[in-house]
Amino acid sequence: MATTVGGVIEGSYYYKVIRKIADGGMGSVYEVEQHGAEGFVKRMALKTIIPRYTNNKEFVDMFIGEAKLVGNLVHPNIVQIYQLGRTPEGFFIAMEYIDGINLEQFLLRHFDLKRKIPLDIATFIVSRICRGLEYAHTKTDALGRPLNIVHRDVSPKNILINTEGECKLTDFGIAKARNYMEQDEERVLMGKVEYMSPEQAYYRITDARSDLFSLGIVYLELLTGNNGYVGTDTNDTLDRVKRAELPKLEQDRPDIPQEIVKIVYKALQRDPMQRYQTATDMVYDLEYQMYSRGYGPTIASFAKYTADLFPKHNFATPKRTPLATNAGY
């Protein structure tokens, strides 16, 4: 029975684990049911810390920081966090459950089928994530002060696609914000090197424009099937990212119109001052490209495309990659 203590309503509920979804470097994600009063049941995902890291203060602080930072980000293109909890075994994050796949699996499926991703589909995916970044980059605190959030890990594994055709950005585990993890940038390299901006690779201070460079690489990969910056090893990849040579899009895919080439090239400018300055600027160009001539892709048409691509329920995935719901953690 719920009781009121000091104006706070306290009640009982519990989580029932359905299955483990994935193990990451330092955490695990589970599909769970939250059970509450009067038979209430809600499907959720639970992110936990792997036991051997529960006493690692730096990692636990990052885990808590992610929950606090993302807890108030409520946007259709960002995976929502509902609760930071604690058990005798350690902390957990309860979050939105995404029934679907990640973008890496989407790319692999096209590779396996030897099929190019349609231009409007690629642009639609990138535009939705750009909308999520626009919201995160411009988010303010309760006093109206900019939080200056930078995701710092925009990559296919951190972009999820659900069965309704929605695209969602997840895993703000290494994100920075005003007065949070800002001091780490000049001493620690964080993120997936093949999706980093040049300034990130150089251990320099990043801002919203760094995320737009990373999103530009994702766009490039969707359009051509190639990342464009992957080298023979980590150091070679970092060197390629630092040079940030513009890809020859027309060579890789002759059917790409110049309007899209210009968007990709602007997102991938090595000098941040020559790049898109805001996600708002970038998403305007993306959406103009999709809709200026009339009807364009929607979440409904994208859901149908993805369902046809993965004909079995829950988007049956390629054999070499496991089903990834809330993948990227």
Side-chain angles (χ1 to χ4, degrees):
M1 178 179 291
T3 57
T4 304
V5 181
V8 177
I9 297 176
E10 296 182 341
S12 59
Y13 59 88
Y14 65 92
Y15 294 104
K16 178 183 177 182
V17 175
I18 305 302
R19 66 185 177 106
K20 179 183 283 190
I21 296 168
D23 283 319
M26 294 185 180
S28 300
V29 179
Y30 297 85
E31 177 187 348
V32 302
E33 290 177 345
Q34 184 191 56
H35 290 254
E38 298 295 330
F40 174 87
V41 179
K42 183 177 178 65
R43 196 179 187 192
M44 300 173 71
L46 219 62
K47 180 179 177 181
T48 65
I49 301 174
I50 289 176
R52 66 177 177 272
Y53 292 110
T54 54
N55 294 319
N56 183 318
K57 184 180 185 305
E58 184 176 6
F59 181 72
V60 171
D61 287 347
M62 286 176 60
F63 191 86
I64 294 169
E66 177 188 0
K68 289 181 175 179
L69 182 64
V70 188
N72 287 321
L73 297 185
V74 183
H75 189 274
N77 301 116
I78 294 175
V79 173
Q80 189 175 355
I81 284 180
Y82 300 127
Q83 179 195 12
L84 173 67
R86 189 173 191 174
T87 69
E89 289 75 33
F91 289 95
F92 67 85
I93 296 174
M95 65 183 72
E96 180 182 3
Y97 177 84
I98 307 301
D99 184 8
I101 56 171
N102 66 31
L103 193 61
E104 183 179 70
Q105 292 169 302
F106 185 84
L107 283 158
L108 279 171
R109 182 64 172 162
H110 286 84
F111 178 82
D112 288 344
L113 296 173
K114 297 180 175 56
R115 184 189 300 181
K116 292 179 179 179
I117 297 173
L119 297 175
D120 61 341
I121 293 294
T123 304
F124 177 78
I125 294 168
V126 173
S127 72
R128 298 308 86 201
I129 300 306
C130 199
R131 280 293 181 194
L133 286 172
E134 176 188 43
Y135 172 83
H137 290 165
T138 58
K139 183 70 175 175
T140 60
D141 65 14
L143 297 177
R145 297 172 299 189
L147 290 176
N148 298 329
I149 294 172
V150 186
H151 186 280
R152 298 198 295 184
D153 200 14
V154 177
S155 62
K157 280 190 176 180
N158 290 335
I159 295 171
L160 307 184
I161 301 167
N162 70 14
T163 53
E164 284 76 38
E166 294 175 315
C167 303
K168 293 175 181 278
L169 182 64
T170 190
D171 198 354
F172 283 71
I174 62 169
K176 74 164 193 174
R178 189 189 70 241
N179 300 326
Y180 175 67
M181 289 181 67
E182 291 179 305
Q183 71 280 3
D184 295 329
E185 288 200 289
E186 294 177 287
R187 65 179 183 85
V188 180
L189 192 67
M190 291 187 173
K192 299 175 183 67
V193 293
E194 63 269 34
Y195 296 96
M196 285 183 179
S197 66
E199 58 269 31
Q200 195 173 358
Y202 274 117
Y203 294 78
R204 293 172 183 163
I205 301 300
T206 62
D207 57 28
R209 295 171 296 183
S210 178
D211 284 343
L212 301 183
F213 186 97
S214 299
L215 187 59
I217 298 179
V218 172
Y219 198 14
L220 170 68
E221 194 165 1
L222 286 168
L223 293 169
T224 67
N226 297 307
N227 173 284
Y229 295 93
V230 178
T232 55
D233 55 32
T234 299
N235 289 331
D236 186 33
T237 299
L238 277 172
D239 187 53
R240 290 175 184 235
V241 169
K242 290 172 183 177
R243 291 201 311 267
E245 296 174 354
L246 290 173
K248 296 179 173 60
L249 276 176
E250 297 94 331
Q251 236 178 42
D252 293 332
R253 188 161 177 181
D255 64 325
I256 296 179
Q258 278 303 306
E259 294 89 338
I260 289 181
V261 173
K262 288 178 183 177
I263 294 172
V264 176
Y265 282 178
K266 189 167 184 178
L268 294 180
Q269 289 295 316
R270 183 180 182 205
D271 179 0
M273 291 302 296
Q274 302 302 315
R275 212 176 291 160
Y276 282 107
Q277 298 301 289
T278 67
T280 301
D281 294 337
M282 184 171 174
V283 81
Y284 176 87
D285 284 353
L286 290 164
E287 292 180 350
Y288 186 84
Q289 167 62 28
M290 285 189 294
Y291 302 120
S292 62
R293 290 178 293 276
Y295 185 80
T298 64
I299 60 171
S301 61
F302 180 51
K304 183 180 185 309
Y305 177 84
T306 312
D308 292 342
L309 196 66
F310 297 90
K312 294 183 180 179
H313 182 63
N314 286 339
F315 299 156
T317 59
K319 289 182 180 178
R320 42 200 166 110
T321 50
L323 177 66
T325 309
N326 287 79
Y329 291 96

